[in-house]
Each structure stands twice: as C-alpha cells, then as structure tokens.
Amino acid sequence: MKILLAEDDPMIGASVEQALRRENYAVDWVRDGLEAELALDSGAYALLLLDLGLPRQDGLALLRKQRQKNNMIPVLIATARDAVEDRVAGLNLGA
C-alpha cells in the first residue's frame, strides 16, 4: 500500500514515516500543500494522511481541490487543530 504523508513538522513527519515503513507501507512524505497536490496529481496512492496546517496550501484547501477533481482517495486527518469547525469541514469534504 502506498501512502502520501502530508506533514510539515519534521519530527512528526519523520516519526510517522518511520512507523509506517516499519509496518511495510510505502510512504512518500511531502512537507507542504502544493507538494501534496502535485504528488496526488501524478501518483497513485491508497491513502492520504493529511495535516491541516500545511504551508503554501492549507490541508482543507488541498482536500477540497482533490474532491473537486473527483479524487476519492481515503483521507485521514492528523492535526493539532481541534476546533469543531475544522473537524466538520474535514468530514464534509470526505475525510
């Protein structure tokens, strides 16, 4: 299974990537929303593990664009944001 990890924090990203690889997942780690968009547009991923607070393009904006392109990739949001509005927006976009 190939996973796209979109996370800008180096410590979190490295830890998650390492843990996923230990479980034999193929992982591409990108550090901002535009990199994530390019990766999603050019590669086949089984899952997007998405941080909302990405530089250059917010995670919710990235997810919205992917859904508008009819990309129905499964998305797990992992973020420090805890506002109800963010959770509802992510769920409404199909995360």
Side-chain angles (χ1 to χ4, degrees):
M1 175 189 275
K2 191 171 181 181
I3 296 173
L4 181 62
L5 169 61
E7 171 59 62
D8 64 319
D9 183 284
M11 191 178 334
I12 294 170
S15 296
V16 171
E17 179 186 36
Q18 183 180 36
L20 290 169
R21 288 186 188 279
R22 251 193 327 260
E23 296 299 322
N24 296 315
Y25 291 102
V27 180
D28 288 341
W29 175 22
V30 295
R31 291 158 180 84
D32 71 54
L34 292 181
E35 285 182 69
E37 184 174 4
L38 288 173
L40 287 168
D41 289 347
S42 66
Y45 295 94
L47 175 72
L48 170 59
L49 185 53
L50 179 64
D51 178 23
L52 296 184
L54 296 171
R56 295 182 15 161
Q57 180 172 236
D58 179 77
L60 287 176
L62 170 68
L63 181 53
R64 186 175 298 108
K65 282 184 180 180
Q66 292 303 306
R67 295 310 190 224
Q68 288 170 348
K69 295 176 185 178
N70 290 318
N71 183 347
M72 293 298 135
I73 184 172
V75 177
L76 290 176
I77 294 176
T79 187
R81 291 187 190 174
D82 62 353
V84 172
E85 296 83 16
D86 290 326
R87 286 184 273 170
V88 171
L91 291 171
N92 284 340
L93 289 169

